[in-house]
Amino acid sequence: MNEEHRGKKQRVAIVGGGAAGFFAAINLKEMVPQAEVTIIEAANRVLRKVEVSGGGRCNCTNSFCDVTDLSQVYPRGHRLLKRLFKTFGPRDAYEWFEQRGVRLVTQADQCVFPASQDSHSIIDLFLNEARRLGVHIRLGQKIVSLDSLSDYDFVVVTTGGSQKMESMQWLKQEIVTTVPSLFTFSIADAALQALMGTVVEDVVAFIPGTKMRANGPLLITHWGMSGPAILRLSSYAARELAAHDYRLPLCINWTGLAEDRVRQELDSIRAEHGKRAVASQRVFSLPGRLWNYLSEKCLGERAGYRWQDISQKEMNRLVNVLTNDAYEIAGRAAFKDEFVTCGGVALSAVNAASLESKTIPGLFFAGEVLDIDGVTGGFNFQAAWTTAYTVSRAVASKCR
């Protein structure tokens, strides 16, 4: 940004000591060792989000084997990432960590973690690499104005997401309104909450009347619902939920199957186990406590009756509660392991190839400060690695 330093050692400020900030700093110093790179962090600690992510295990990326279209996992920013992945994608990130001594493992759900199952493997790598390469780290220095960075030739902003629009005004860019993403749902249903700890492996959660739906495991909690299906739905519907003050109808298909398939299965159960009580005969491998709750929810005391005594109308109600179980979202509950926002610096405000501001030369953006966010599963970290690497290459090119 400072034109007076041409011909001298290039100075680069990286504002934000998180995942994207460290990844950008390390890659830039490897590309241009003579550059002076400084990470400036407002807090007194760096990499705090990395430390707590994935329950302290750090879900650092995803294999993407189950992803057929990036829009499935990036509600915002998928078109840009599709382009940037050609230069540095998930496979590149996997190899980057392994080549530097952090062995990774891919779980059955395609989430990638350090083999140590400890986020400090990633943190220690970043800190050691930054130290080895001579990256400077300044803590407890909050940047509130670009003018305070005038001594630097290039500025890379990696401050992450923020729910407060005013905290992003100093960037002097077009900002897409920020709202929370990746959160659990409060459900004011005491009978449901009594099932806390119950997990159903493959449900479909959806907002009725919209195309917003997500599948995957669901966890019933003491405040409502959580788990990958809910977190993904919260990401897809982040703006819709915010616009309605987190008060919207929610439906759950507990089987993940179509109504006709569910109806056929229940008819088979009635034919084979007609003398058993409805509530005592588990269906679709649902946890017993959940099936008791669902059958009593739609049949009341008749859930204790035999299958052969249930009317066709009651059978229809059972099909409906299994495939279209209705609730009301009563608010947003915090998801402690992740804090993600949708919104941020508008993608139209940056150069798609370099992520440099179109209006302020030498100002770059990487990570969640951009209007890019993904669902849970390692996708947000992958976006951080990809955008940070993109910026590193662009800044390195200018430094040379």
Side-chain angles (χ1 to χ4, degrees), residues 140-209:
Q141 298 190 26
K142 185 175 182 179
I143 303 299
V144 296
S145 169
L146 288 174
D147 293 338
S148 65
L149 301 169
S150 60
D151 287 341
Y152 292 92
D153 299 282
F154 305 102
V155 172
V156 180
V157 178
T158 59
T159 49
S162 173
Q163 292 187 41
K164 299 179 180 179
M165 288 287 289
E166 59 269 21
S167 68
M168 305 184 79
Q169 296 307 312
W170 68 276
L171 299 174
K172 298 181 179 179
Q173 302 295 302
E174 178 188 350
I175 304 296
V176 178
T177 302
T178 56
V179 298
S181 180
L182 283 189
F183 48 85
T184 63
F185 296 161
S186 294
I187 307 289
D189 183 327
L192 176 74
Q193 294 168 0
L195 302 177
M196 62 176 290
T198 299
V199 176
V200 183
E201 289 298 331
D202 193 14
V203 311
V204 178
F206 56 100
I207 307 295

Side-chain angles (χ1 to χ4, degrees), residues 187 189-200 218-226 254 287 289-290 293:
I187 307 289
D189 183 327
L192 176 74
Q193 294 168 0
L195 302 177
M196 62 176 290
T198 299
V199 176
V200 183
L218 182 146
L219 168 67
I220 299 175
T221 68
H222 67 274
W223 63 84
M225 295 183 184
S226 184
W254 294 103
R289 288 198 305 157
L290 176 62
Y293 162 77

Side-chain angles (χ1 to χ4, degrees), residues 18-31:
F22 270 82
F23 206 75
I26 291 167
N27 281 288
L28 178 57
K29 281 293 285 186
E30 287 182 339
M31 295 173 190

